[in-house]
Amino acid sequence: MVRALLANKLVRQVSLLLSGTMLVQLINFGFMPLVLRLYGPAEFGVLGAFNALLLLLFPIAALCLPMAVVQGRNRTESRYIASAAWVAAVGFSVLTLLLLLLFKQHLLQLLSAESIGNLVFLLLLAMLFAARLQISQQLLIKQQQFKVLAKADVLQAMLVNLARLLLGLWQSVAAILVAIASFAYLLHVMLLRLFYGQAGDSWQPLSLLRHIASRRYWLKLWRTLVRFRAFALFQTPQALLNAAAQSAPVLVLAAMYGSAAAGFYTLAKAI
């Protein structure tokens, strides 16, 4: 029975993905003592508040549509699901930008995240990059490319931690941590495309700029959204409540006791 399991291609690939996840945790844990010598609890508190807001907003941004990619009946349908998720993320990011330009201070006070300040504008990029990353990951899962996922996870963790160290030697401020956290998603997307190569281009979401004037494109996206509306109507509220439960402690600590207290909580949770 054990030999049969080991001979199964899917079992081997899933085991490889799990091994990559464990290695990522070991890398993060190994770099933690070095990183803590450069950045203090206050800096990690700002990073924790930023990540808490990102976690809170992300389910709304893509409407949990990336999770539906694996349910596509074929490559074309999976691409349209991915395209719908990407359009939703872009639209929500534009809306968020307008709200921040008009009501930034009021929104930060409402969310108890005044410590972030102007770094909140990096949320827009982080949401877009995170949405693209989740779409890319789900497309690769659909194709059972677990080896690609594992390799990208490990290399991304190594590069992100090295960036924290090297840039921290130059200037150990919260803005560095937040910027690295934001662009880490983009780096992850680039690594996935690098390892998978051109074979994955035919699975990527359709170009929004190229098809923005196409009536057929928007009609197809609408039909896709209607078909998988359960993710937007039911999965999104569930994910939002879960994100709120995880984000609340960091935001409350930052609002009531300052960034340092939120930083200690963030570090304890990370370890």
Side-chain angles (χ1 to χ4, degrees):
M1 182 177 178
V2 176
R3 289 183 178 179
L5 285 175
L6 293 177
N8 187 285
K9 181 181 178 181
L10 180 60
V11 171
R12 293 201 308 269
Q13 289 183 330
V14 171
S15 300
L16 181 62
L17 181 59
L18 291 176
S19 300
T21 302
M22 292 177 60
L23 187 56
V24 167
Q25 296 302 321
L26 289 175
I27 291 172
N28 291 333
F29 188 78
F31 272 94
M32 189 62 71
L34 301 175
V35 172
L36 288 177
R37 289 184 174 273
L38 298 175
Y39 304 95
E43 286 73 32
F44 276 99
V46 175
L47 175 63
F50 180 87
N51 286 333
L53 287 181
L54 178 60
L55 183 65
L56 193 62
L57 294 175
F58 182 69
I60 310 173
L63 299 176
C64 290
L65 287 174
M67 300 173 64
V69 167
V70 294
Q71 295 193 12
R73 292 170 294 188
N74 48 53
R75 184 184 67 180
T76 301
E77 186 171 68
S78 293
R79 288 190 75 186
Y80 271 106
I81 298 171
S83 300
W86 180 240
V87 169
V90 172
F92 184 77
S93 296
V94 172
L95 177 61
T96 304
L97 174 61
L98 294 176
L99 291 175
L100 287 176
L101 290 175
L102 295 174
F103 311 108
K104 184 192 76 170
Q105 198 59 38
H106 297 291
L107 290 173
L108 290 179
Q109 290 176 356
L110 178 65
L111 296 171
S112 302
E114 296 95 325
S115 60
I116 296 179
N118 289 327
L119 292 175
V120 72
F121 287 103
L122 284 175
L123 269 177
L124 308 173
L125 294 177
M127 280 193 297
L128 285 175
F129 298 154
R132 191 72 180 204
L133 173 60
Q134 191 177 28
I135 291 169
S136 299
Q137 288 174 329
Q138 293 298 320
L139 287 170
L140 288 171
I141 290 173
K142 174 72 174 176
Q143 302 168 72
Q144 298 186 7
Q145 295 293 329
F146 299 106
K147 184 178 180 180
V148 173
L149 290 167
K151 289 167 61 177
D153 288 348
V154 172
L155 185 55
Q156 189 257 8
M158 183 66 70
L159 292 176
V160 166
N161 281 289
L162 284 175
R164 286 181 176 181
L165 281 178
L166 296 178
L167 293 177
L169 291 173
W170 170 58
Q171 197 170 11
S172 54
V173 294
I176 295 293
L177 289 176
V178 172
I180 291 174
S182 300
F183 286 94
Y185 298 107
L186 176 61
L187 173 64
H188 206 154
V189 173
M190 294 172 65
L191 289 175
L192 289 174
R193 298 201 66 175
L194 175 65
F195 289 136
Y196 194 38
Q198 296 182 351
D201 291 345
S202 61
W203 284 82
Q204 292 301 314
L206 298 172
S207 173
L208 177 59
L209 293 178
R210 185 181 302 174
H211 297 86
I212 194 169
S214 172
R215 183 176 178 273
R216 182 178 178 274
Y217 169 76
W218 292 105
L219 182 60
K220 188 67 175 179
L221 287 187
W222 174 252
R223 289 175 178 173
T224 302
L225 183 59
V226 170
R227 184 170 187 272
F228 294 94
R229 62 187 179 276
F231 286 88
L233 296 178
F234 303 111
Q235 188 67 34
T236 299
Q238 184 272 333
L240 183 59
L241 288 175
N242 184 48
Q246 296 185 49
S247 302
V250 179
L251 296 176
V252 170
L253 286 172
M256 298 185 65
Y257 303 105
S259 298
F264 282 119
Y265 178 85
T266 301
L267 290 171
K269 189 176 179 181
I271 295 174

